[in-house]
Amino acid sequence: MKDFNVLFTCCGMHVKERIDSLRQNEDDVKVKVFAVNCVQDNLPPADMADGTYVVPKIHDTKYLPSILAICKANDVQVIVPTVTLELEFMAENRDFFEREGIKVSIASSKALAVANNKIKLHEAYGNLMPKEIVPTSFDDVFIFKKSLPLGSTLCCKLSNHCGGNGFAIVDDEKSLDMTLFNKYGGNHYISTHQLKELIERGDYKIIVQEFRHGYDYSVSALTVQGRVTHICGYIGYQMSCGAIINGEILYNRKAYQIVEKICNELKLDGNVCFDFRISPNGDVTLLEINPRVNASLPFVQKAGCNMLYIRCKNLLGDYSDIEVADRIKYGLRMKKFYDSKYY
């Protein structure tokens, strides 16, 4: 495998681990990594990447030309979009880059129309997911709550954001417990009254869902036109900002079957992460899909499967990596610690 260069778009707080997973690859290939964001302060420090750039916002007419210019100036072969909000836009403009010989790590617009849309996903696979509604008034929530088993808990989330952003559990008591405010690795709680006000204000399209108790369980997969080539599941005992900070590599047959079924039916391509809720007895419920490089993917690399690097190799025509399931370290427990450094 020859050396190659990668560009991460919309870079944020999780970019360091992604850069490390490319640089610390098993082939000793030299990978240069460049990062862009429309906000200077969101870029990684200069010594963390091989180059950082401030670019226009994604829907600015100058955005695509500026990304292309950066790619050409740095001989970038692969673009990796990193956030939910940019995926469909980048898929629509894939040809703009590929005409110049630059690959974009993204699924098709058709696949993203379901996988990247929480409402459409539930319409297609609601039998695998908790019950939910998109309320137009609080009366809808009241009726919905009555349709659930007695004692059920509700949660709410934004329809167009990733699960770590814009998610809250509806609990009148815990919403007033100040010891839980901004608790590291804890859930966010709102009251019934706050939910009512959010719906009535109408600033956001909100999904109200039956909350399933248990732990977060995710399955990262690498797919080639719907065929899963690499797969690894892991449980999150503690989460922060949508990423695992205390977890364990864990196999779950039912979850793996769901992942393989949906990837095949939607013809998903590239890195994808399925978020589940897992009960103590191992039952899983699908929550959402992130058809992109997810924040906890470096956790999988430490367990023996560098899916981000393998994806880049695939885009560059190298499919030599065989299925690595037999090399994944199931049962591996890991906890994330932050090494503070001020720039």
Side-chain angles (χ1 to χ4, degrees):
M1 185 69 193
K2 295 181 180 179
D3 299 344
F4 60 90
N5 301 339
V6 174
L7 176 72
F8 287 121
T9 59
C10 294
C11 280
M13 64 184 296
H14 298 297
V15 70
K16 182 184 184 301
E17 293 90 345
R18 294 166 180 169
I19 292 174
D20 288 345
S21 67
L22 288 177
R23 287 178 170 173
Q24 299 166 8
N25 63 78
E26 51 269 32
D27 297 329
D28 292 326
V29 168
K30 184 177 180 181
V31 181
K32 290 185 178 180
V33 183
F34 302 87
V36 302
N37 198 293
C38 62
V39 179
Q40 175 74 49
D41 288 346
N42 288 344
L43 287 169
D47 65 352
M48 190 179 292
D50 293 281
T52 61
Y53 300 88
V54 178
V55 295
K57 292 185 177 181
I58 192 166
H59 292 297
D60 189 303
T61 56
K62 296 179 181 179
Y63 178 76
L64 291 175
S66 68
I67 296 295
L68 181 59
I70 293 167
C71 289
K72 287 187 172 182
N74 295 287
D75 191 26
V76 168
Q77 289 90 35
V78 179
I79 297 174
V80 180
T82 63
V83 299
T84 300
L85 294 176
E86 66 173 330
L87 296 184
E88 292 173 54
F89 174 81
M90 292 298 285
E92 291 167 2
N93 291 282
R94 183 204 308 265
D95 290 345
F96 177 82
F97 297 102
E98 298 202 343
R99 283 195 298 267
E100 303 293 333
I102 303 166
K103 299 294 185 180
V104 183
S105 181
I106 203 163
S108 69
S109 295
K110 184 178 180 181
L112 291 173
V114 177
N116 200 47
N117 185 308
K118 291 180 173 65
I119 296 172
K120 294 294 185 183
L121 180 69
H122 196 273
E123 290 174 0
Y125 296 102
N127 62 311
L128 301 172
M129 304 175 70
K131 293 182 179 179
E132 68 176 43
I133 58 166
V134 182
T136 57
S137 71
F138 190 71
D139 287 341
D140 294 339
V141 178
F142 181 75
I143 295 169
F144 176 66
K145 181 70 180 289
K146 289 183 67 175
S147 71
L148 301 177
L150 188 65
S152 296
T153 302
L154 298 181
C155 61
C156 62
K157 55 187 176 182
L158 295 171
S159 62
N160 62 347
H161 283 242
C162 62
N165 182 11
F167 171 81
I169 299 170
V170 183
D171 190 307
D172 292 336
E173 291 186 11
K174 290 182 178 179
S175 69
L176 295 175
D177 185 348
M178 291 188 66
T179 65
L180 299 177
F181 292 5
N182 296 319
K183 182 179 179 182
Y184 178 68
N187 288 312
H188 182 75
Y189 296 92
I190 64 171
S191 67
T192 305
H193 176 76
Q194 289 173 315
L195 176 62
K196 182 176 185 292
E197 186 174 354
L198 285 169
I199 293 170
E200 291 177 348
R201 286 175 59 176
D203 295 338
Y204 310 98
K205 182 175 282 188
I206 298 172
I207 296 171
V208 175
Q209 193 176 73
E210 177 190 7
F211 178 71
R212 294 294 177 87
H213 294 276
Y215 285 114
D216 290 282
Y217 179 73
S218 298
V219 178
S220 287
L222 184 59
T223 65
V224 178
Q225 296 299 321
R227 181 175 65 88
V228 174
T229 60
H230 302 76
I231 190 168
C232 180
Y234 40 97
I235 189 169
Y237 298 117
Q238 194 176 18
M239 309 286 292
S240 181
C241 301
I244 288 177
I245 55 175
N246 183 359
E248 178 181 354
I249 303 297
L250 183 73
Y251 173 84
N252 184 283
R253 181 181 178 184
K254 182 180 178 182
Y256 281 27
Q257 289 175 337
I258 290 172
V259 169
E260 291 172 346
K261 167 186 166 64
I262 295 178
C263 285
N264 178 262
E265 292 178 354
L266 298 183
K267 294 296 180 284
L268 284 165
D269 189 54
N271 294 111
V272 59
C273 180
F274 286 69
D275 288 339
F276 295 88
R277 205 72 172 165
I278 189 168
S279 68
N281 64 4
D283 287 339
V284 291
T285 305
L286 177 65
L287 299 181
E288 62 183 53
I289 301 176
N290 293 302
R292 55 174 171 79
V293 176
N294 64 301
S296 296
L297 193 57
F299 185 68
V300 175
Q301 181 207 0
K302 301 299 183 185
C305 186
N306 194 346
M307 291 188 191
L308 175 55
Y309 173 69
I310 296 171
R311 168 60 171 170
C312 290
K313 288 176 65 175
N314 290 170
L315 286 170
L316 297 174
D318 186 338
Y319 291 88
S320 60
D321 282 276
I322 60 171
E323 170 61 58
V324 296
D326 58 334
R327 300 208 305 265
I328 291 175
K329 302 171 187 174
Y330 285 106
L332 178 67
R333 288 285 300 266
M334 285 183 279
K335 188 170 184 179
K336 186 175 184 178
F337 289 91
Y338 292 91
D339 181 16
S340 298
K341 187 174 182 180
Y342 291 89
Y343 295 87

